Amino acid sequence: PYTRVESKLWERIKYKNEKPSEITNYHTNGNKYKETLLSEYKGHSKNLSNQIKSLQETIFLISHPEHQIKEMLTVLFLDLTGFSKKSAEDQLSSINFTRFSAQALLESFPGDPHLGKYANTWGDAIVVGFEDPNSGIEFSLKLIEILKIKNIEARIGMSFGECALVFNPTLRKLAPEGPAMSDAARLEPLAKRGEVLISKELRAHDLNEDLFQFQKTKRELKKAVGDLKAKAEISCHIVTNKKNSK
């Protein structure tokens, strides 16, 4: 009879095409597999705990609509370029691939509670909030590259700041609101095709200089936004992967 750990290894062989020799190796190096499986269990358990916490927050806010939960978030706005010029069939295909890719990317790290939350979509736009700024930037750059596989071009604006989490009865989920959302939305149309622009507020945060490269720039508003007049210049930064910038 197999132990619980050995049974899990057989499942891996069946669904992940791993070699049966792993069962033999287990007997000589059992601790390695126990540690690996334990790490996976902890990751999924942590992810489940985060989902339960989010559900509890949602239930609380439904019962107390006057209450707000505030978090410091990195937020991104993504928009597909040239979308309106596509045929109806191509528009639907682009939207479906973009949403699928974004969701798959968000779910690719189940043990990382910082990767993404409060995701929302409308039309060809995607909005996501991140607890960890570096995770947000990593997600943005990876998604841009994934979309290029289908020749889909997107632009992204990102910012950082305090957001109030409120229950949106239309979406039936928590949604962030606040100046950081407006800043990211303002930067998004100023980005070029395939470009990620981040605000000076986000750049001032503790970002990973080993992974990302930042180039300071200024972009001109095409139309008035809030207190800013048309043609006003906004200071921001272009962010790229360091390995792709050499």
Side-chain angles (χ1 to χ4, degrees):
Y2 294 112
T3 65
R4 180 182 178 86
V5 175
E6 288 172 324
S7 296
K8 294 298 293 183
L9 290 175
W10 275 120
E11 288 180 20
R12 288 187 172 192
I13 293 169
K14 181 178 180 181
Y15 295 109
K16 297 187 178 181
N17 298 319
E18 295 187 5
K19 298 178 180 179
S21 60
E22 291 207 3
I23 291 294
T24 303
N25 292 338
Y26 164 76
H27 292 289
T28 58
N29 197 13
N31 288 334
K32 174 184 175 182
Y33 289 102
K34 287 181 180 178
E35 291 174 2
T36 300
L37 292 174
L38 181 60
S39 177
E40 288 187 7
Y41 288 144
K42 285 182 177 179
H44 289 294
S45 176
K46 195 171 187 180
N47 189 42
L48 179 60
S49 296
N50 290 329
Q51 293 179 24
I52 293 174
K53 180 181 178 183
S54 178
L55 180 59
Q56 290 173 333
E57 291 177 347
T58 302
I59 294 173
F60 177 79
L61 289 176
I62 292 175
S63 305
H64 304 80
E66 75 287 352
H67 187 77
Q68 291 183 345
I69 295 176
K70 295 185 177 181
E71 282 192 29
M72 300 300 293
L73 293 177
T74 293
V75 294
L76 79 81
F77 274 73
L78 175 147
D79 188 63
L80 302 183
T81 59
F83 183 78
S84 60
K85 297 180 180 179
K86 294 178 180 287
S87 66
E89 183 179 353
D90 287 343
Q91 285 184 352
L92 182 60
S93 176
S94 296
I95 288 175
N96 288 339
F97 184 77
T98 301
R99 291 178 178 175
F100 172 82
S101 300
Q103 186 62 33
L105 191 55
L106 286 172
E107 293 177 352
S108 62
F109 302 98
D112 185 354
H114 303 298
L115 190 60
K117 59 196 308 187
Y118 314 119
N120 188 24
T121 64
W122 62 84
D124 61 324
I126 290 179
V127 182
V128 190
F130 297 85
E131 293 179 357
D132 178 61
N134 289 301
S135 291
I137 293 177
E138 179 184 8
F139 171 87
S140 298
L141 294 174
K142 283 185 176 180
L143 184 56
I144 288 286
E145 291 302 313
I146 291 173
L147 295 181
K148 288 181 181 179
I149 297 174
K150 291 288 187 178
N151 295 317
I152 299 173
E153 293 183 314
R155 56 194 179 199
I156 293 177
M158 302 182 67
S159 192
F160 175 85
E162 185 178 74
C163 293
L165 305 179
V166 297
F167 179 73
N168 187 314
T170 303
L171 300 175
R172 296 184 179 181
K173 61 192 297 186
L174 294 182
E177 296 180 356
M181 301 290 290
S182 301
D183 292 341
R186 186 181 299 125
L187 282 177
E188 175 268 308
L190 304 183
K192 298 177 182 178
R193 294 171 181 263
E195 192 175 63
V196 177
L197 284 183
I198 66 173
S199 67
K200 58 184 180 181
E201 288 80 11
L202 178 53
R203 179 65 186 95
H205 209 74
D206 184 21
L207 303 179
N208 193 327
E209 304 281 349
D210 294 328
L211 294 180
F212 312 122
Q213 181 167 293
F214 305 94
Q215 178 186 343
K216 190 174 182 179
T217 186
K218 289 185 178 181
R219 296 292 166 87
E220 189 178 274
L221 284 177
K222 297 178 181 178
K223 59 182 181 181
V225 179
D227 296 332
L228 298 174
K229 298 181 180 180
K231 296 187 177 182
E233 289 189 333
I234 295 181
S235 295
C236 52
H237 292 78
I238 303 168
V239 58
T240 56
N241 282 312
K242 259 193 174 176
K243 61 181 180 180
N244 293 337
S245 301
K246 295 179 180 180

